[in-house]
Amino acid sequence: MSKLHNDLANCIRFLSIDAVQKANSGHPGMPMGMADVATILFKNFLRFNPKNPNWLNRDRFVLSAGHGSMLLYSALYLLGYKSISLNSIKKFRQLNSICAGHPEYHPNTGIETTTGPLGQGIANAVGFAIAEEILKKKLGKEIINHKTYVLAGDGCLMEGISHEAMSLAGHLKLKNLVMLFDNNSISIDGPTSLAVSDNFKKRFESYGWEYILINGHDEKEIFKALKKIQNAKKPTVISCKTKIGYGSPNKSGKSSSHGSPLGLDEIKLVREKLNWSHKPFQIPNKIFKEWRKIGKKGQSIENKWIKVYKKKKKLIDKVLKNNFSKTLKTEKQNAIRELKSIATRKSSELTLNALTKQNNTLIGGSADLAGSNNTKTKNHKIIKPGEFNGNYIHYGVREHAMSGIMNGLSLHSSFIPYAGTFLIFSDYCKPSIRLSALMQQRVIYVMTHDSIGLGEDGPTHQPIEQLSGLRSIPNLNVFRPADTVETIECWENALKNTKTPSVLSLTRQNLEPIRKKYSKINKSSLGAYEVLRTNKKINLTILASGSEVNLAIKTSHKLAKYKIYSKVISMPCQDLFELQSNSYKKKILNETKIKISIEAASTDSWKKYVGNNGLTFGIDTFGKSAPYKDIYKHFGLTPNKIATESIKLIKR
Ligand SMILES: Cc1ncc(C[n+]2csc(CCOP(=O)(O)OP(=O)(O)O)c2C)c(N)n1
Ligand SMILES: [Mg+2]
């Protein structure tokens, strides 16, 4: 190993060691083990420009093993990214430091995605690689042609999401995707042999990946492998045999270096062993300059690129432009004219049909339920292995990877990913949905078969607690439209909220139209609004969403016969309702003392609106397998039953 290489790699090692020690928490083992690989990657291969972290054609580097965050922060600082100063490294894991415990996505900083939940970064990287291929087809390879590197550890590869994501990546032949596998055979509980005996070579090759095994501390082997994969024909994994905590006499190769400070005594020994006589956080000028030199080499490459970009700018702007409003307005007018009783999943398909007629950056998909989720329209072109001139992805039965991949598609540049599964299987997507929300990505989850209304498939398929659970995720809009007009409006909201992901909860069963008059206003954007009142003066408020709005209307009319007058509030999005002014909220909620809610799901998220004087009509047990009208009856979700209970409540 050359002295220069050792010096460069040791900068990453000691910044990581010192930051973890100062914070008195964190993970030194991985950065120490992968410093050699990272150094050669950044020095010789990765194309990037710290002066413009957003450069469209940069190589993407994803740290899937997010606990090793100090490796990323050290590299970004050393390379000259403005986002990470030495001071922020000294504040590793402290309040408001960009150097958070695990990397947190911030645009334009070099931190490409939020990682920490193991395996997510792999799916994000697959999303980046797909985005790169699609964009290359749209804009040409002088504009887009870059690699996506993902650093993943044993833990990432144990996670189910890695199997899903890598299998799809192999199938699609994502040749610009490279995994750097930190194959140190150690995780928290000890040697990975406690839990894993996979044959990695066979595993990856069976996915259609190329597998290269190297010594992750051998400068030449690392260089050779990275050089070789520059012209790969399929995704590649470079399996780097490394020593966790490399350089630590007592802790290297052991899980004790994984996730706690090495301790001052041990750090002294590491300094001796690696010949690093510098004080904590001190990088000798000469080596620092070498790192900054590496950071500068991308500038001229980007400058050349900018010249080509400028020539093609008009075309690029045109290709990446979205113009949804006019289309959605026309769709709303059509819906009012036709007033069809259709399922909201069908309403969503009609909306998508209109949206996909024009050029835009929507990328659709489904986890093997295209026909049920109604996510694929006749205008879609399918993305196939090695063929990326399409806009629809058959994700296969891989809900978790699908969601993580959508995060990658969204983070990459201009794409708006949407994809479907059954609402019940949002549980299989949840960790990635949460990250869409945390990263403020406009990812749209089309979740159909959204209640007992799906009928005979029974309780395994009928969501109960999912809506309440999803509503409790911060910065996620959960939409449950009541008819076609609301569905169009909810789609519009999902597209307009560029920093918030959305879940569209849609029915399998047909619904009668609620909104029968055209209004320019997107009423769903208020989160809740009045759809009916049976008298000027009322003594009951009925809140409902989706398929139960019609039930609420029928109940309201029934109650009027007994001279109990009410208003019906359609509440397609609780999250947006929460953002309205106090006076609007009061107008909706405080007109009557007594309120009831109706939603064929867990009543949890309605209690806050209904309060102690009211009743929540819903389902707090598991569903049933039967024709759906029988299930509604079984759970007392009928106008008669709800009216009877409401009369009792009011007369109490
Ligand atoms: C989904 C998920 N489960 C559990 C954890 C907690 N965790 C963090 S690191 C880790 C072990 C990872 O082992 P490996 O990837 O081999 O990292 P190394 O010890 O080699 O640094 C675990 C279980 C996590 N971050 N994410
Ligand atoms: Mg490991």
Side-chain angles (χ1 to χ4, degrees), residues 90-141:
K90 286 181 183 165
K91 290 195 180 134
F92 177 50
R93 294 186 155 237
Q94 307 309 304
L95 198 62
N96 294 331
S97 169
I98 186 162
C99 299
H102 295 84
E104 292 176 22
Y105 169 71
H106 294 283
N108 212 20
T109 58
I111 304 173
E112 302 278 9
T113 178
T114 296
T115 51
L118 295 171
Q120 292 292 333
I122 297 179
N124 297 162
V126 173
F128 282 136
I130 296 175
E132 187 255 340
E133 294 285 4
I134 301 175
L135 209 54
K136 189 157 55 196
K137 274 282 164 221
K138 283 179 183 279
L139 305 180
K141 60 175 186 276

Side-chain angles (χ1 to χ4, degrees), residues 27-31 34 64-68 102 115-120 152-159 161 181-190 192 242-245 254-255 257-259 400 431:
H27 302 76
M30 189 281 247
M34 282 300 275
S64 188
H67 58 280
H102 295 84
T115 51
L118 295 171
Q120 292 292 333
D154 300 296
C156 290
L157 289 177
M158 288 185 219
E159 289 292 349
I161 192 173
F181 168 26
D182 180 17
N183 186 351
N184 63 20
S185 304
I186 291 287
S187 62
I188 293 180
D189 280 358
T192 51
T242 63
K243 224 173 203 177
I244 189 169
K254 294 185 191 147
S255 58
S257 69
H258 163 88
H400 196 178

Side-chain angles (χ1 to χ4, degrees), residues 380-652:
H380 273 114
K381 211 163 165 217
I382 295 162
I383 286 163
K384 293 183 184 152
E387 288 177 32
F388 298 95
N389 57 340
N391 56 358
Y392 193 88
I393 301 170
H394 284 284
Y395 286 100
V397 194
R398 302 181 181 103
E399 296 84 3
H400 196 178
M402 173 174 85
S403 309
I405 289 169
M406 285 205 286
N407 283 336
L409 283 168
S410 171
L411 287 161
H412 182 272
S413 48
S414 314
F415 291 117
I416 308 174
Y418 78 85
T421 183
F422 292 151
L423 180 61
I424 191 71
F425 303 132
S426 62
D427 288 345
Y428 278 49
C429 309
K430 194 80 164 288
S432 305
I433 296 180
R434 189 169 189 276
L435 288 167
S436 315
L438 180 59
M439 291 192 279
Q440 305 188 338
Q441 293 304 297
R442 177 177 40 179
V443 174
I444 302 171
Y445 295 89
V446 179
M447 303 286 187
T448 68
H449 297 58
D450 75 341
S451 75
I452 50 163
L454 66 86
E456 293 84 346
D457 272 345
T460 55
H461 282 51
Q462 292 160 353
I464 298 292
E465 75 282 13
Q466 282 64 28
L467 285 168
S468 285
L470 289 165
R471 283 177 183 135
S472 69
I473 297 179
N475 191 41
L476 174 70
N477 287 338
V478 179
F479 294 100
R480 192 161 186 264
D483 69 357
T484 302
V485 170
E486 275 198 8
T487 306
I488 297 164
E489 288 182 345
C490 290
W491 258 108
E492 187 174 33
N493 283 309
L495 293 166
K496 272 192 175 164
N497 280 287
T498 57
K499 293 197 165 164
T500 305
S502 297
V503 169
L504 297 171
S505 163
L506 306 171
T507 67
R508 171 179 187 258
Q509 76 275 28
N510 290 343
L511 301 181
E512 287 170 34
I514 308 284
R515 295 269 295 280
K516 298 177 186 165
K517 268 196 218 125
Y518 179 75
S519 127
K520 230 166 62 182
I521 303 164
N522 184 327
K523 293 194 182 181
S524 304
S525 70
L526 300 166
Y529 63 96
E530 188 177 308
V531 287
L532 170 81
R533 79 168 40 222
T534 49
N535 196 18
K536 198 159 175 239
K537 201 166 163 4
I538 54 166
N539 41 12
L540 179 70
T541 300
I542 309 177
L543 307 167
S545 87
S547 40
E548 283 68 66
V549 175
N550 196 35
L551 175 55
I553 288 172
K554 286 186 176 145
T555 306
S556 176
H557 286 308
K558 182 147 274 201
L559 284 167
K561 288 187 187 149
Y562 298 91
K563 299 211 160 29
I564 292 174
Y565 298 108
S566 59
K567 67 173 176 181
V568 173
I569 301 296
S570 175
M571 202 177 232
C573 185
Q574 293 191 357
D575 312 275
L576 287 183
F577 180 66
E578 291 298 329
L579 300 179
Q580 304 309 308
S581 66
N582 272 341
S583 63
Y584 184 73
K585 285 196 233 175
K586 276 187 191 155
K587 192 176 125 193
I588 295 288
L589 293 176
N590 289 8
E591 189 176 351
T592 65
K593 209 169 103 190
I594 298 178
K595 284 167 277 185
I596 64 169
S597 68
I598 316 175
E599 185 175 72
S602 157
T603 56
D604 261 24
S605 47
W606 295 93
K607 288 177 182 152
K608 59 183 180 288
Y609 298 128
V610 167
N612 292 336
N613 298 320
L615 281 178
T616 49
F617 293 91
I619 306 167
D620 289 311
T621 60
F622 291 113
K624 285 274 183 192
S625 168
Y628 82 91
K629 286 183 182 160
D630 295 344
I631 314 178
Y632 269 88
K633 217 179 276 169
H634 172 83
F635 285 109
L637 295 173
T638 61
N640 272 344
K641 178 83 178 160
I642 297 173
T644 310
E645 294 293 322
S646 302
I647 292 169
K648 273 196 234 159
L649 176 72
I650 285 168
K651 296 207 165 141
R652 204 159 60 191

